[in-house]
Amino acid sequence: MLMSDPQRALITVMMLVAACDDELSDAELHTITANVRYLPVFTGFDPERLPGIAQDFARAVETDEDLETMIDGIGRALPAKLHETAYALAVEVAAADHHPSQEALRLLEIIGERLNVDPLAAAAIERGARARHALA
């Protein structure tokens, strides 16, 4: 899957986490959409591009594109300063369902490792997401 720009790579990492358990929940979809609409890293991004990126992602998954290849493509498309951002977005999508699947948790480990996210930074990102998505 061609990662033509950092924003596309960030959207793809969120879609990877959402799709890893073969279910795209409303909460995951809402989180992806809200992130794209409101986060500064997506300034200038046209949200109308989301369906096309989702279709490209679905085609890549259908053709059994290797997970590691996709994550490596994400890493290449992102400057190093956005690796933690990518990890944080992935964690937000996983946390949106309140009880992430084992597949999602394992995928987060892989993403963190492949993007060289410091383990302490990863733990802080995860703790923050748990706090934001806690149920009353």
Side-chain angles (χ1 to χ4, degrees):
M1 179 173 183
L2 177 64
M3 303 291 163
S4 55
D5 59 74
Q7 292 167 325
R8 182 182 189 95
L10 293 171
I11 292 166
T12 301
V13 78
M14 290 188 287
M15 289 181 177
L16 266 176
V17 173
C20 74
D21 60 2
D22 296 325
E23 292 182 29
L24 176 61
S25 71
D26 289 341
E28 290 167 330
L29 183 58
H30 173 75
T31 298
I32 292 168
T33 303
N35 285 341
V36 170
R37 289 188 190 276
Y38 302 114
L39 291 179
V41 73
F42 292 105
T43 298
F45 179 83
D46 180 4
E48 298 299 317
R49 288 181 53 204
L50 267 175
I53 293 170
Q55 289 173 344
D56 291 346
F57 175 79
R59 273 193 294 276
V61 170
E62 285 174 6
T63 60
D64 292 326
E65 185 167 332
D66 181 66
L67 176 67
E68 306 250 341
T69 301
M70 289 181 80
I71 295 171
D72 287 344
I74 291 165
R76 282 191 303 276
L78 294 173
K81 69 181 183 176
L82 290 180
H83 285 197
E84 284 184 4
T85 302
Y87 186 75
L89 292 173
V91 169
E92 284 294 320
V93 172
D97 277 335
H98 305 292
H99 300 288
S101 67
Q102 288 301 312
E103 294 90 351
L105 295 174
R106 178 63 187 130
L107 180 56
L108 291 175
E109 282 181 42
I110 294 168
I111 292 168
E113 290 169 4
R114 299 298 279 219
L115 296 180
N116 296 314
V117 175
D118 179 85
L120 290 176
I125 289 166
E126 292 161 12
R127 182 63 191 109
R130 278 194 305 275
R132 280 188 299 286
H133 291 274
L135 297 173

